[in-house]
Amino acid sequence: MVVKVASTSTKTSTEKVMLSATVTVVCYKWKTLSNGENPLMLRVTKEGKSQYQSLGISVNPKHWNFKTNEPKPKCPNYEQIQKIIIDKKAELQKKMLDMRAEQKAFTATTLLDANKHKLFSIGGFYQKIILSF
């Protein structure tokens, strides 16, 4: 994909073109779990570079449509899987929109890192509560 940017007198040289990233869910067929299923992964692609993050669920490959990257209608737990996929994609798209609104540059890696939930110990939890007062 070739992107041509025409320079105009109204733009400053410090402005950057923010290319959008694509978010898709794929059945990661290169890794088969012990139960014979493959994990579902979020794939974020920006500027030709892809990063993957697990959704925490897996599906039997015979229940996955690889052309449309979605579960087949006869897949067990079809509605729950669709809900998880829609929620995660919406969450990432909201983060991309927020970063664009703040005019922050981001990559696929930084977008997924911002999406990870931070885990901390009980001591860290109470420390956070104490500091909030």
Side-chain angles (χ1 to χ4, degrees):
M1 178 174 136
V2 177
V3 178
K4 293 183 180 180
V5 179
S7 61
T8 63
S9 60
T10 59
K11 290 188 177 184
T12 63
S13 61
T14 58
E15 287 185 22
K16 293 182 180 178
V17 175
M18 296 269 213
L19 297 175
S20 64
T22 59
V23 179
T24 55
V25 175
V26 296
C27 181
Y28 200 72
K29 59 185 172 184
W30 298 276
K31 182 175 186 176
T32 303
L33 303 176
S34 61
N35 62 0
E37 295 182 342
N38 297 82
L40 295 182
M41 307 283 273
L42 279 170
R43 178 175 60 199
V44 178
T45 304
K46 183 171 181 193
E47 298 173 1
K49 296 181 182 180
S50 296
Q51 289 291 319
Y52 293 87
Q53 184 180 58
S54 175
L55 279 176
I57 56 176
S58 59
V59 68
N60 191 316
K62 70 180 181 180
H63 296 297
W64 187 260
N65 186 339
F66 287 94
K67 290 183 182 177
T68 60
N69 280 329
E70 58 184 28
K72 293 180 179 176
K74 292 186 179 183
C75 176
N77 303 321
Y78 174 80
E79 291 84 14
Q80 291 88 355
I81 293 171
Q82 279 291 85
K83 183 182 181 328
I84 291 169
I85 290 171
I86 290 168
D87 289 347
K88 289 292 187 174
K89 285 175 82 172
E91 183 180 337
L92 277 176
Q93 288 170 348
K94 182 185 179 310
K95 288 191 188 298
M96 283 191 298
L97 185 62
D98 290 344
M99 288 181 167
R100 275 193 227 129
E102 296 170 3
Q103 296 183 346
K104 288 184 179 178
F106 63 91
T107 63
T109 304
T110 58
L111 186 65
L112 286 175
D113 287 345
N115 191 41
K116 289 183 181 177
H117 300 287
K118 295 181 181 176
L119 300 176
F120 47 89
S121 66
I122 294 174
F125 172 74
Y126 286 117
Q127 186 71 24
K128 185 177 177 182
I129 290 175
I130 292 169
L131 292 175
S132 69
F133 288 113

